[in-house]
Structures are given as C-alpha cells and as structure tokens.
Amino acid sequence: MDGCHGLGRRRDRRHGGCARGAGGRGMSAEYRVDLDAFARNLSRVRAAVAPARHMLVLKDDAYAHGQDAIVRRALEEGVTWFGAFDVATGRAVREITGPDARIFVWLLGDAHDLAAGVAADLDLGIGNEELLDDLGGIAPPTPARVHLKIDTGLHRNGIRPERWDAALTRLTALVDAGAATFEGIWSHISEASDADDDDARELFLAARSAAVQAGLAPRFSHLAASAAGFARESFREDIVRVGAFSYGIRPAGGPGEGELGIEPIGALTAAVVEVDADVVRIDVGHLHGLPSTLRGRFSAATPAGPRTVRSIDATTSVIDAWTGAAVGDEVTVFGRGGAASATDLAELIDTIGEEIALRVSSVVPRRYTANGSRPAR
Ligand SMILES: *Cc1c(COP(=O)(O)O)cnc(C)c1O
C-alpha cells in the first residue's frame, strides 16, 4: 500500500513522495505509518509477554495511527485480542475482524451499551455494580462475557475492594441465570512506581482468590499494560494489554526503544514550501498538532541532516536552512526516520509520547507503507 491521499497533491517525481502542488495549494504534511515496523513491534511484544497473550490496545484511533489499517495488519500478524475502549469502537473493530477475534471494551455507560456489546459479541469490562444490575435487567439473548474489574488504587472505575464480595454475589446470580459467563478479572495499574504496582497486584490477587472461593474462577486474568508487561514477569498473568509499545512509543523517562526492542512506526513529515537565506518554511504547524512550545528546542530531519526548528506557526514552521535546500524537499518533523521521537518531544514539555502522537490532527492524512515483508513469528 502506498499512495497520496488528500486534495491538491500530486506525485513528486524528484522525491517519489507526495508533495505540495506547484501552485501552492493543498498541504503536504502527512503522518506516515510503517506497517512492517508495526508488525515487527507486534512480534517483539508477543515474545516479551509470552506465554501470556498480547491484547492490542486501540483507543484513540490506535493512538492516532488509524484504527482500520492497524487492525487489518494486526489480524494478518496473528493478533487475537483487541482492546477497543468503548462499544462503538468495538463494533467497528468487529466489522473488520469477523467472528473469531476477542474484542474487549471497558467504557460502558448503561444497559443500552451492554445490550449493544453483547450483540456485537464483545468482551465486557465491568467496573461497577450498577452495570451488573443492568445486565440482569436486559436478560441478554446470549450470555454476556464479563470481565470484572477490581479497583486496585487508580480509582478510575472498578469495584472497590470492600464491595467486591457483593459484586461477586450479583455476578453469581447472573451466571446461574445464564445471563453472563465469568471470563476475566482485571485491573489497571499506574506503572509509575514498582511499590504502588506491587500493592495493586496484592489487591488483585486477593480479589481473584475471593472469586475462586465464591465458585467463580475467571478464565483470564489481566493487569499490566506496556511497561509492567515488559519489565515484570509476575504482572503478565494470561493477557497483557499493550498499546504504546505496539506503536513504538517508549515511556517518558524510561528505557529507550533499543533497550525495549521496539521502533517508532509513525512519522510526521512535511515539505519545504519557501526557502530564504538562512531558514526554510515547511507546511506543518500548531494547527496540525505540533505544540508551539517546542520551538527552538528540537531538530527536524532534513535531507542534509538535523536542523533546529526555530518557530512553529499556525500552519507552517521555520527551520534552519541547508545548502541546496529547495521547495518540495521533505522534512521529518518527528518519529520514524526523524531526529526526535514522539517521546523525545514529550520529554521537552513534560508530557508523554502518546500525547504528542494524539495531537497530530485528523486533518493530517495518514499514509501507510508496507513492503509485505513479514517478521519471523
Ligand atoms: C491505555 C490502556 C492500556 C494500554 O496502556 P499502554 O501503556 O499504552 O500499553 C491498557 N489498559 C487500559 C485499561 C488502558 O486504558
């Protein structure tokens, strides 16, 4: 797959890429996603979490990489579990995967969501007792696959430990009535400190023991995301829900991509639209999602090597020139093939790499490259 999408663009013969039209219309900025690199990350994640399974987390349009293309390639690479956030997303993913994949959703609002989730054959992450009551109320035509969430300290949602036994009683009634199967117990941890995570894991294990004692043995346990899934074997359980590392986004202040064995898959690129004596202008700016607070603080990759980004305006940015710079030259602002990764930029403004990727506006077309080369399984 390789092509130019969007209006006002033409094939640029010199660069073999997509460049701005000679008349100055349109926009050259693109978010390029290398699906072969994505496939390599998937095999790396699979190896790192094995024998646990990898659930590919897809929230926010696959961390802004474009959910459809990501899901299709993941399926080809043998991913069987998808973490789709809400029911609407889960249904969209189900349309792509067909019946076999397991699709876990965990943002459920009400009985309507539950009914729609069951109808789309989704795995439902349930984090409060009201939803269990709602489930009894709708009496689903096929049993809902319930993953019960214990709140292990993040207090986002999840059943508080002191309410866990009451929730188990409700779930037992649902299972007995044929309205639910107990598929999983799960939680989400901060991964900010090992000590906090250890405390969370203890609560998690206690909740699981209580469930088993109540006659409810979950088929699956899942607790960790990228960081703990890679670093801490005892957190892997049956499934590890990995988002960031699948897309090659390393943790801010943590180990580098090389150490983790992952590679960035996305790159924000733009073309030179104006050349002055000392600087050039490229047509990507803060309206496309590049934080203007980064001006003067990082380098973009140009055909002549890294050059400092001097200013970030609404739809264009100014960077230091190089000898022979020409309109149409391509610059990688950040990401794959660039001088800075999303997380490198994030660290400059005290945020995380995911945030930098998610800011890339949806008006910036996503373009996919793939040679079809498959990594070894
Ligand atoms: C976002 C999210 C993940 C994935 O986290 P990463 O750090 O991106 O791997 C896993 N589980 C839940 C519940 C999440 O919201």
Short mmCIF file of all heavy atoms in Angstrom, two decimals, residues 101-140:
data_model
loop_
_atom_site.label_atom_id
_atom_site.label_comp_id
_atom_site.label_asym_id
_atom_site.label_seq_id
_atom_site.Cartn_x
_atom_site.Cartn_y
_atom_site.Cartn_z
N ALA A 101 -12.03 -12.97 16.43
CA ALA A 101 -11.21 -12.20 17.38
C ALA A 101 -11.98 -11.97 18.68
O ALA A 101 -13.21 -11.94 18.69
CB ALA A 101 -10.83 -10.87 16.75
N ARG A 102 -11.24 -11.81 19.75
CA ARG A 102 -11.83 -11.36 21.01
C ARG A 102 -11.63 -9.86 21.11
O ARG A 102 -10.50 -9.37 20.91
CB ARG A 102 -11.15 -12.06 22.20
CG ARG A 102 -11.29 -13.58 22.19
CD ARG A 102 -12.68 -14.06 22.52
NE ARG A 102 -13.12 -13.80 23.88
CZ ARG A 102 -13.15 -14.73 24.85
NH1 ARG A 102 -12.72 -15.95 24.63
NH2 ARG A 102 -13.61 -14.42 26.05
N ILE A 103 -12.70 -9.14 21.38
CA ILE A 103 -12.63 -7.67 21.43
C ILE A 103 -13.14 -7.22 22.79
O ILE A 103 -14.32 -7.40 23.11
CB ILE A 103 -13.46 -7.05 20.29
CG1 ILE A 103 -12.96 -7.56 18.93
CG2 ILE A 103 -13.40 -5.52 20.36
CD1 ILE A 103 -13.89 -7.25 17.77
N PHE A 104 -12.22 -6.64 23.56
CA PHE A 104 -12.52 -6.22 24.93
C PHE A 104 -12.83 -4.73 24.94
O PHE A 104 -12.08 -3.93 24.37
CB PHE A 104 -11.28 -6.54 25.79
CG PHE A 104 -11.36 -6.10 27.23
CD1 PHE A 104 -12.29 -6.66 28.09
CD2 PHE A 104 -10.48 -5.16 27.73
CE1 PHE A 104 -12.34 -6.27 29.43
CE2 PHE A 104 -10.51 -4.76 29.06
CZ PHE A 104 -11.45 -5.32 29.92
N VAL A 105 -13.94 -4.36 25.58
CA VAL A 105 -14.28 -2.93 25.73
C VAL A 105 -14.50 -2.66 27.21
O VAL A 105 -14.96 -3.53 27.95
CB VAL A 105 -15.53 -2.54 24.92
CG1 VAL A 105 -15.31 -2.75 23.43
CG2 VAL A 105 -16.78 -3.30 25.38
N TRP A 106 -14.13 -1.47 27.66
CA TRP A 106 -14.22 -1.21 29.10
C TRP A 106 -14.83 0.14 29.45
O TRP A 106 -14.87 0.52 30.60
CB TRP A 106 -12.86 -1.40 29.77
CG TRP A 106 -11.80 -0.43 29.33
CD1 TRP A 106 -11.47 0.74 29.95
CD2 TRP A 106 -10.90 -0.56 28.21
NE1 TRP A 106 -10.44 1.35 29.28
CE2 TRP A 106 -10.07 0.57 28.21
CE3 TRP A 106 -10.73 -1.52 27.20
CZ2 TRP A 106 -9.09 0.77 27.24
CZ3 TRP A 106 -9.74 -1.32 26.24
CH2 TRP A 106 -8.93 -0.19 26.27
N LEU A 107 -15.32 0.86 28.44
CA LEU A 107 -16.06 2.07 28.76
C LEU A 107 -17.53 1.80 28.47
O LEU A 107 -17.98 1.89 27.33
CB LEU A 107 -15.57 3.26 27.93
CG LEU A 107 -16.16 4.57 28.43
CD1 LEU A 107 -15.34 5.10 29.61
CD2 LEU A 107 -16.23 5.62 27.34
N LEU A 108 -18.26 1.41 29.50
CA LEU A 108 -19.65 1.01 29.34
C LEU A 108 -20.49 1.91 30.21
O LEU A 108 -20.23 2.05 31.41
CB LEU A 108 -19.82 -0.45 29.77
CG LEU A 108 -19.09 -1.47 28.89
CD1 LEU A 108 -18.89 -2.77 29.64
CD2 LEU A 108 -19.87 -1.71 27.60
N GLY A 109 -21.51 2.54 29.62
CA GLY A 109 -22.28 3.52 30.36
C GLY A 109 -23.54 2.97 31.00
O GLY A 109 -23.85 3.28 32.14
N ASP A 110 -24.28 2.16 30.24
CA ASP A 110 -25.62 1.81 30.69
C ASP A 110 -26.07 0.51 30.04
O ASP A 110 -25.33 -0.14 29.31
CB ASP A 110 -26.59 2.95 30.36
CG ASP A 110 -26.55 3.33 28.88
OD1 ASP A 110 -26.07 2.51 28.06
OD2 ASP A 110 -26.99 4.43 28.54
N ALA A 111 -27.34 0.17 30.30
CA ALA A 111 -27.91 -1.08 29.78
C ALA A 111 -27.87 -1.12 28.25
O ALA A 111 -27.64 -2.16 27.65
CB ALA A 111 -29.34 -1.23 30.27
N HIS A 112 -28.06 0.04 27.64
CA HIS A 112 -28.02 0.10 26.18
C HIS A 112 -26.64 -0.32 25.65
O HIS A 112 -26.51 -1.10 24.71
CB HIS A 112 -28.37 1.52 25.72
CG HIS A 112 -28.33 1.69 24.24
ND1 HIS A 112 -27.23 2.19 23.58
CD2 HIS A 112 -29.24 1.39 23.29
CE1 HIS A 112 -27.47 2.20 22.28
NE2 HIS A 112 -28.67 1.72 22.08
N ASP A 113 -25.60 0.19 26.29
CA ASP A 113 -24.23 -0.20 25.93
C ASP A 113 -24.04 -1.70 26.09
O ASP A 113 -23.42 -2.37 25.25
CB ASP A 113 -23.22 0.50 26.85
CG ASP A 113 -22.76 1.84 26.31
OD1 ASP A 113 -23.19 2.21 25.21
OD2 ASP A 113 -21.94 2.49 26.99
N LEU A 114 -24.55 -2.23 27.20
CA LEU A 114 -24.38 -3.66 27.46
C LEU A 114 -25.05 -4.49 26.37
O LEU A 114 -24.46 -5.44 25.84
CB LEU A 114 -24.98 -4.02 28.82
CG LEU A 114 -24.25 -3.48 30.06
CD1 LEU A 114 -25.11 -3.72 31.31
CD2 LEU A 114 -22.89 -4.16 30.22
N ALA A 115 -26.28 -4.11 26.03
CA ALA A 115 -27.01 -4.87 25.01
C ALA A 115 -26.28 -4.81 23.68
O ALA A 115 -26.14 -5.82 22.98
CB ALA A 115 -28.43 -4.32 24.88
N ALA A 116 -25.79 -3.60 23.32
CA ALA A 116 -25.07 -3.46 22.06
C ALA A 116 -23.77 -4.25 22.08
O ALA A 116 -23.36 -4.84 21.08
CB ALA A 116 -24.79 -1.98 21.79
N GLY A 117 -23.12 -4.28 23.23
CA GLY A 117 -21.87 -5.03 23.37
C GLY A 117 -22.09 -6.52 23.21
O GLY A 117 -21.33 -7.21 22.52
N VAL A 118 -23.15 -7.04 23.81
CA VAL A 118 -23.45 -8.47 23.67
C VAL A 118 -23.79 -8.78 22.22
O VAL A 118 -23.32 -9.76 21.65
CB VAL A 118 -24.62 -8.87 24.60
CG1 VAL A 118 -25.06 -10.31 24.33
CG2 VAL A 118 -24.22 -8.72 26.07
N ALA A 119 -24.58 -7.89 21.59
CA ALA A 119 -24.99 -8.12 20.20
C ALA A 119 -23.78 -8.17 19.27
O ALA A 119 -23.78 -8.90 18.28
CB ALA A 119 -25.97 -7.04 19.76
N ALA A 120 -22.74 -7.40 19.59
CA ALA A 120 -21.53 -7.38 18.74
C ALA A 120 -20.51 -8.42 19.21
O ALA A 120 -19.39 -8.43 18.74
CB ALA A 120 -20.92 -5.99 18.72
N ASP A 121 -20.91 -9.26 20.16
CA ASP A 121 -20.05 -10.34 20.64
C ASP A 121 -18.75 -9.81 21.25
O ASP A 121 -17.67 -10.34 21.02
CB ASP A 121 -19.74 -11.30 19.47
CG ASP A 121 -19.22 -12.64 19.96
OD1 ASP A 121 -19.47 -12.98 21.14
OD2 ASP A 121 -18.55 -13.33 19.17
N LEU A 122 -18.88 -8.74 22.03
CA LEU A 122 -17.70 -8.13 22.66
C LEU A 122 -17.49 -8.71 24.05
O LEU A 122 -18.43 -9.19 24.69
CB LEU A 122 -17.89 -6.61 22.76
CG LEU A 122 -18.27 -5.90 21.45
CD1 LEU A 122 -18.41 -4.40 21.69
CD2 LEU A 122 -17.23 -6.17 20.36
N ASP A 123 -16.26 -8.65 24.54
CA ASP A 123 -15.96 -8.97 25.93
C ASP A 123 -16.10 -7.68 26.74
O ASP A 123 -15.50 -6.65 26.38
CB ASP A 123 -14.52 -9.51 26.06
CG ASP A 123 -14.42 -10.97 25.68
OD1 ASP A 123 -14.51 -11.28 24.47
OD2 ASP A 123 -14.29 -11.82 26.58
N LEU A 124 -16.86 -7.74 27.82
CA LEU A 124 -17.27 -6.51 28.51
C LEU A 124 -16.52 -6.33 29.83
O LEU A 124 -16.65 -7.16 30.73
CB LEU A 124 -18.78 -6.55 28.77
CG LEU A 124 -19.67 -6.89 27.56
CD1 LEU A 124 -21.14 -6.96 27.98
CD2 LEU A 124 -19.47 -5.85 26.46
N GLY A 125 -15.77 -5.26 29.92
CA GLY A 125 -15.08 -4.93 31.16
C GLY A 125 -16.02 -4.16 32.06
O GLY A 125 -16.36 -3.02 31.77
N ILE A 126 -16.45 -4.79 33.15
CA ILE A 126 -17.46 -4.16 34.00
C ILE A 126 -16.84 -3.73 35.32
O ILE A 126 -16.23 -4.53 36.03
CB ILE A 126 -18.63 -5.14 34.22
CG1 ILE A 126 -19.36 -5.30 32.87
CG2 ILE A 126 -19.56 -4.66 35.33
CD1 ILE A 126 -20.67 -6.01 32.93
N GLY A 127 -17.00 -2.44 35.61
CA GLY A 127 -16.32 -1.87 36.77
C GLY A 127 -17.24 -1.26 37.80
O GLY A 127 -16.78 -0.51 38.66
N ASN A 128 -18.55 -1.56 37.72
CA ASN A 128 -19.41 -1.12 38.83
C ASN A 128 -20.63 -2.03 38.95
O ASN A 128 -21.02 -2.71 38.01
CB ASN A 128 -19.79 0.36 38.71
CG ASN A 128 -20.66 0.65 37.52
OD1 ASN A 128 -21.76 0.11 37.41
ND2 ASN A 128 -20.17 1.49 36.62
N GLU A 129 -21.21 -2.01 40.15
CA GLU A 129 -22.31 -2.94 40.44
C GLU A 129 -23.58 -2.59 39.68
O GLU A 129 -24.38 -3.48 39.36
CB GLU A 129 -22.59 -2.93 41.95
CG GLU A 129 -21.48 -3.60 42.75
CD GLU A 129 -21.68 -3.39 44.24
OE1 GLU A 129 -22.59 -4.01 44.80
OE2 GLU A 129 -20.93 -2.59 44.84
N GLU A 130 -23.78 -1.30 39.40
CA GLU A 130 -24.99 -0.90 38.69
C GLU A 130 -25.07 -1.61 37.34
O GLU A 130 -26.13 -2.03 36.89
CB GLU A 130 -25.03 0.62 38.47
CG GLU A 130 -25.17 1.46 39.73
CD GLU A 130 -23.90 1.46 40.59
OE1 GLU A 130 -22.80 1.59 40.02
OE2 GLU A 130 -24.00 1.30 41.82
N LEU A 131 -23.89 -1.74 36.68
CA LEU A 131 -23.90 -2.41 35.38
C LEU A 131 -24.28 -3.88 35.52
O LEU A 131 -24.90 -4.46 34.62
CB LEU A 131 -22.53 -2.27 34.70
CG LEU A 131 -22.25 -0.92 34.03
CD1 LEU A 131 -20.80 -0.84 33.58
CD2 LEU A 131 -23.17 -0.71 32.82
N LEU A 132 -23.90 -4.49 36.63
CA LEU A 132 -24.31 -5.88 36.84
C LEU A 132 -25.83 -5.95 36.99
O LEU A 132 -26.47 -6.86 36.45
CB LEU A 132 -23.62 -6.46 38.08
CG LEU A 132 -22.10 -6.69 37.96
CD1 LEU A 132 -21.52 -7.15 39.29
CD2 LEU A 132 -21.77 -7.70 36.86
N ASP A 133 -26.40 -4.99 37.69
CA ASP A 133 -27.86 -4.93 37.80
C ASP A 133 -28.50 -4.73 36.43
O ASP A 133 -29.48 -5.39 36.08
CB ASP A 133 -28.30 -3.78 38.73
CG ASP A 133 -27.95 -4.07 40.19
OD1 ASP A 133 -27.69 -5.25 40.51
OD2 ASP A 133 -27.93 -3.12 41.00
N ASP A 134 -27.92 -3.79 35.66
CA ASP A 134 -28.43 -3.53 34.31
C ASP A 134 -28.42 -4.81 33.48
O ASP A 134 -29.34 -5.07 32.70
CB ASP A 134 -27.57 -2.47 33.60
CG ASP A 134 -27.77 -1.08 34.19
OD1 ASP A 134 -28.79 -0.87 34.88
OD2 ASP A 134 -26.89 -0.22 33.97
N LEU A 135 -27.36 -5.57 33.64
CA LEU A 135 -27.22 -6.80 32.86
C LEU A 135 -28.35 -7.77 33.21
O LEU A 135 -28.93 -8.41 32.33
CB LEU A 135 -25.85 -7.43 33.14
CG LEU A 135 -25.33 -8.50 32.20
CD1 LEU A 135 -25.40 -8.05 30.75
CD2 LEU A 135 -23.90 -8.86 32.58
N GLY A 136 -28.66 -7.88 34.50
CA GLY A 136 -29.80 -8.71 34.90
C GLY A 136 -31.09 -8.20 34.27
O GLY A 136 -31.92 -8.98 33.80
N GLY A 137 -31.20 -6.88 34.19
CA GLY A 137 -32.42 -6.27 33.65
C GLY A 137 -32.62 -6.55 32.17
O GLY A 137 -33.74 -6.75 31.72
N ILE A 138 -31.54 -6.58 31.40
CA ILE A 138 -31.74 -6.77 29.95
C ILE A 138 -31.85 -8.24 29.58
O ILE A 138 -32.27 -8.55 28.47
CB ILE A 138 -30.62 -6.11 29.10
CG1 ILE A 138 -29.25 -6.74 29.37
CG2 ILE A 138 -30.57 -4.62 29.33
CD1 ILE A 138 -28.17 -6.28 28.39
N ALA A 139 -31.49 -9.15 30.48
CA ALA A 139 -31.55 -10.59 30.19
C ALA A 139 -31.10 -10.88 28.76
O ALA A 139 -31.91 -11.17 27.88
CB ALA A 139 -32.96 -11.12 30.43
N PRO A 140 -29.80 -10.76 28.48
CA PRO A 140 -29.31 -10.86 27.10
C PRO A 140 -29.61 -12.23 26.47
O PRO A 140 -29.65 -13.23 27.17
CB PRO A 140 -27.79 -10.67 27.25
CG PRO A 140 -27.48 -10.98 28.67
CD PRO A 140 -28.70 -10.62 29.46
#
